[in-house]
């Protein structure tokens, strides 16, 4: 089994979650990415969100949400993804940048548009009355 280890930023407004679609992909993903060598979760998340969405996360405000695992979309059946999720306040204006083609606000009714691990996260958020 191969595991992809990622971190993700959960941004919810009006019970909708911010999701992104990368150029050439057919599904939306919760924004985030992989750590670089020797990066902490906070450092990696701040860097990834700045690269992808042009905003600055407040590292001092990072709030751990949970770890979620599922089959990695677009990979063979033996590959899973582990997403460590945080929320945090941000400053700046959200804008798709770098490899991000589109930003969208989704609800639990949009699960047909997202990856398997995001479906688990959406269910968790919905069960906790954070997501419509």
């Amino acid at each position: 089994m191969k595991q992809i280890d990622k971190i993700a930023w959960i941004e919810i407004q009006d019970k909708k979650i911010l999701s992104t679609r990368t150029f050439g992909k057919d599904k939306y993903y919760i924004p985030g990415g992989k750590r670089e060598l020797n990066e902490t979760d906070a450092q990696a998340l701040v860097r990834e969100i700045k690269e992808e969405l042009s905003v600055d996360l407040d590292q001092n405000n990072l709030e751990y949400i949970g770890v979620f695992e599922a089959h990695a979309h677009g990979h063979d059946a033996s590959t899973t993804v582990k997403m460590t999720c945080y929320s945090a306040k941000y400053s700046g204006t959200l804008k798709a940048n770098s490899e991000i083609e589109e930003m969208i606000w989704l609800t639990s009714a949009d699960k047909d548009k997202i990856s398997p691990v995001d479906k688990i996260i959406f269910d968790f958020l919905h069960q906790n009355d954070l997501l419509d």
Side-chain angles (χ1 to χ4, degrees):
M1 292 282 285
K2 179 182 174 191
Q3 186 174 70
I4 301 167
D5 187 19
K6 296 180 83 174
I7 53 166
W9 177 45
I10 305 288
E11 173 61 13
I12 297 173
Q13 294 181 14
D14 300 321
K15 290 194 160 187
K16 294 180 181 176
I17 187 169
L18 178 65
S19 293
T20 57
R21 188 174 53 76
T22 304
F23 284 97
K25 299 286 184 176
D26 63 344
K27 296 285 183 189
Y28 291 95
Y29 298 86
I30 295 170
K34 298 176 189 169
R35 291 169 206 80
E36 291 182 355
L37 187 62
N38 298 320
E39 268 186 328
T40 65
D41 284 4
Q43 291 167 332
L45 196 57
V46 166
R47 177 186 51 76
E48 285 286 348
I49 298 308
K50 180 70 171 181
E51 288 172 6
E52 293 180 358
L53 297 171
S54 307
V55 296
D56 295 303
L57 294 186
D58 180 353
Q59 276 193 95
N60 300 320
N61 184 265
L62 235 62
E63 187 174 320
Y64 175 80
I65 293 178
V67 176
F68 305 88
E69 294 184 45
H71 169 256
H73 177 255
H75 292 266
D76 65 49
S78 67
T79 304
T80 61
V81 63
K82 178 178 93 170
M83 288 261 260
T84 304
C85 298
Y86 297 88
S87 64
K89 293 183 180 173
Y90 70 93
S91 58
T93 302
L94 290 167
K95 180 183 134 209
N97 197 21
S98 188
E99 74 266 16
I100 303 302
E101 183 172 14
E102 181 184 7
M103 293 182 332
I104 192 169
W105 295 91
L106 300 175
T107 69
S108 57
D110 296 306
K111 287 197 298 186
D112 60 318
K113 299 175 179 148
I114 60 177
S115 70
V117 73
D118 286 10
K119 289 178 185 181
I120 294 168
I121 296 166
F122 276 41
D123 286 345
F124 171 83
L125 296 170
H126 183 70
Q127 289 164 2
N128 286 280
D129 200 32
L130 299 169
L131 192 64
D132 276 343

